[in-house]
């Protein structure tokens, strides 16, 4: 309380709470989530408690993210439909394939949202290797007509 002349004023300091600390961890939840990229094997990827704090399980999680990214590129670039197939069957098959690809792509995105630098690099490398193997023309045989040379 502050006295000013015959009037008294009460000084009230606002009460604030910190939602973020200096490491970028969110403090309002039981499990800690990062708001910035970080390095380390103690993380959660896709499921609560996985891969735990084990280095070997973290390596397995990185391989899973890598394989998922390669699979997304494979499904985006594969040509599994024979010419002359039924239009309805072709449409249904392409729709199912697209749905599976979208679901796997969202799983890769959710893994990246763990903000772990290793997971991010595994996803980028998986997409790069997948595109190199299935999207680029590097490993495809040319049919001799020259029609493949300028498509990529």
């Amino acid at each position: 309380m502050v006295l000013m002349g015959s009037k008294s004023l009460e000084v009230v300091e606002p009460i604030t709470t910190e939602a973020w600390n200096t490491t970028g961890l969110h403090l309002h939840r039981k499990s800690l989530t990062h708001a910035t990229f970080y390095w380390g094997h103690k993380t959660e990827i896709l499921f609560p408690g996985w891969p735990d704090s084990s280095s070997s399980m973290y390596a397995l999680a990185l391989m899973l993210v890598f394989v998922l990214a390669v699979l997304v590129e494979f499904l985006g670039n594969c040509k599994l439909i024979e010419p002359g197939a039924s239009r309805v069957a072709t449409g249904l098959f392409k729709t199912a394939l697209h749905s599976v690809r979208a679901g796997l792509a969202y799983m890769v995105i959710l893994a990246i949202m763990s903000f772990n630098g290793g997971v991010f690099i595994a996803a980028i490398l998986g997409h790069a290797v997948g595109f190199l193997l299935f999207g680029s023309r590097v490993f495809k045989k040319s049919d001799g007509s020259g029609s493949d040379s300028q498509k990529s």
Side-chain angles (χ1 to χ4, degrees):
M1 193 174 299
V2 177
L3 296 174
M4 295 184 64
S6 63
K7 297 181 182 180
S8 64
L9 297 174
E10 188 173 328
V11 177
V12 178
E13 293 186 27
I15 299 172
T16 59
T17 59
E18 285 289 322
W20 303 95
N21 66 11
T22 57
T23 61
L25 298 176
H26 194 273
L27 299 175
H28 291 293
R29 295 178 45 187
K30 283 185 179 180
S31 66
L32 300 175
T33 58
H34 290 265
T36 58
F37 278 106
Y38 69 98
W39 299 97
H41 69 277
K42 294 181 180 176
T43 186
E44 286 186 349
I45 303 169
L46 295 176
F47 307 105
W50 190 73
D52 202 21
S53 60
S54 166
S55 296
S56 59
M57 289 302 289
Y58 177 69
L60 179 66
L62 293 181
M63 286 188 277
L64 174 71
V65 171
F66 179 84
V67 169
L68 281 175
V70 170
L71 191 56
V72 166
E73 291 297 324
F74 168 72
L75 293 174
N77 292 297
C78 68
K79 307 288 185 242
L80 299 174
I81 299 174
E82 305 258 339
S86 164
R87 291 183 70 174
V88 173
T90 299
L92 290 173
F93 182 74
K94 282 185 174 182
T95 301
L97 197 63
H98 175 77
S99 299
V100 169
R101 180 185 179 275
L104 293 176
Y106 279 122
M107 285 186 69
V108 172
I109 291 169
L110 286 173
I112 291 171
M113 289 176 62
S114 70
F115 287 99
N116 183 278
V119 173
F120 179 71
I121 290 172
I124 297 300
L125 289 176
H127 280 291
V129 168
F131 181 80
L132 179 68
L133 294 175
F134 308 114
S136 71
R137 306 270 184 232
V138 173
F139 297 109
K140 295 188 181 199
K141 293 182 180 179
S142 176
D143 62 357
S145 65
S147 62
D148 283 353
S149 62
Q150 298 297 322
K151 284 188 179 178
S152 290

